[in-house]
Amino acid sequence: MRRLFKRSLLLICAVAGVGLLGIVTVNQFVLPIRVRGWAESSLTQALGRRVTIGRIRLNPWHGVMIEDVTVAEDARYGKGPFLHVERISGQILVLPLLRQRQIIIPILWIIHPRGQLIQDPNGLWNSQTVQWRASTGKAASRPFRLLVPKIMLTDGELNVQLQKPDHPLSVYLEDLHLQASISLPAQIGWFLTARFSPHPNSPPELYCATRIHGTYDLKTKIIHNVDVVEDM
């Protein structure tokens, strides 16, 4: 009995050691050298904006973690980044990946994103200059399908500026939390909470809190069933 216990313990330790070695190898050589460069170039080409990634690593508890993601701003709207995300993470289901070539992430976490939306005097938003360029490669070169049923965004910040000559306006949103879930038939239900003020570091009396929820139809691309609750 004791011999069987020792063998089982040795087997568990061996498997754990191999798994740990695999994670270290992936984090040290595969992700930072191959995957990060490919992801940066692919996203830069797709968005038409320079995209940089600080670090990609594999975590046994949080899955794939992408840290320090920056999307550059259009030079016409300033030098600051259009979007910066502290961390993106999610567990990837193994069996669908191996059997069906599907990358399924049950919950995608987006931690502390900071972005800016700027409308120039002509009414053009900086987000409108971001152009998604789909890959023109053959289907065989894109064998994996990505599925993300749920997105959780936490601790976000958004600076909105309207650069109208006659009536400039600035609104700053912080403590922004968003939950979005895909449901049938082809709909995304979302719930958002945030605090907003005229600018960062405003006095407490100028802050307002709001809660918004609604539904986005993927077929018609229309947002409906919107309900806004403002807490003064």
Side-chain angles (χ1 to χ4, degrees), residues 20-32:
L20 181 61
L21 180 61
I23 292 176
V24 172
T25 302
V26 169
N27 284 334
Q28 292 295 327
F29 301 103
V30 179
L31 293 179

Side-chain angles (χ1 to χ4, degrees), residues 38 53 67 151 221:
W38 169 82
I53 298 174
E67 301 174 345
I151 296 176
K221 297 182 179 180

Side-chain angles (χ1 to χ4, degrees), residues 183-228:
S183 60
L184 297 176
Q187 291 184 340
I188 298 178
W190 54 273
F191 180 81
L192 180 146
T193 62
R195 294 196 311 156
F196 60 93
S197 64
H199 51 78
N201 302 318
S202 295
E205 59 269 16
L206 294 182
Y207 275 94
C208 294
T210 185
R211 292 173 289 166
I212 310 173
H213 61 86
T215 305
Y216 177 74
D217 194 306
L218 293 171
K219 293 182 179 180
T220 62
K221 297 182 179 180
I222 296 176
I223 298 176
H224 52 88
N225 298 330
V226 177
D227 187 18
V228 180

Side-chain angles (χ1 to χ4, degrees), residues 69-103:
V69 181
T70 302
V71 180
E73 181 61 277
D74 189 320
R76 292 173 293 180
Y77 294 90
K79 298 181 179 180
F82 170 69
L83 176 67
H84 179 270
V85 183
E86 183 178 294
R87 185 171 73 250
I88 302 172
S89 65
Q91 290 280 2
I92 298 177
L93 300 184
V94 177
L95 290 181
L97 179 64
L98 298 178
R99 294 180 178 179
Q100 303 171 349
R101 303 181 73 83
Q102 291 184 343
I103 301 176

Side-chain angles (χ1 to χ4, degrees), residues 28-90:
Q28 292 295 327
F29 301 103
V30 179
L31 293 179
I33 297 175
R34 296 187 178 182
V35 176
R36 188 180 69 175
W38 169 82
E40 287 181 338
S41 62
S42 298
L43 290 172
T44 297
Q45 183 179 7
L47 299 177
R49 300 276 188 92
R50 184 167 182 260
V51 178
T52 59
I53 298 174
R55 184 183 182 188
I56 301 179
R57 60 192 177 98
L58 185 63
N59 185 287
W61 293 274
H62 299 284
V64 177
M65 301 182 67
I66 306 174
E67 301 174 345
D68 193 20
V69 181
T70 302
V71 180
E73 181 61 277
D74 189 320
R76 292 173 293 180
Y77 294 90
K79 298 181 179 180
F82 170 69
L83 176 67
H84 179 270
V85 183
E86 183 178 294
R87 185 171 73 250
I88 302 172
S89 65

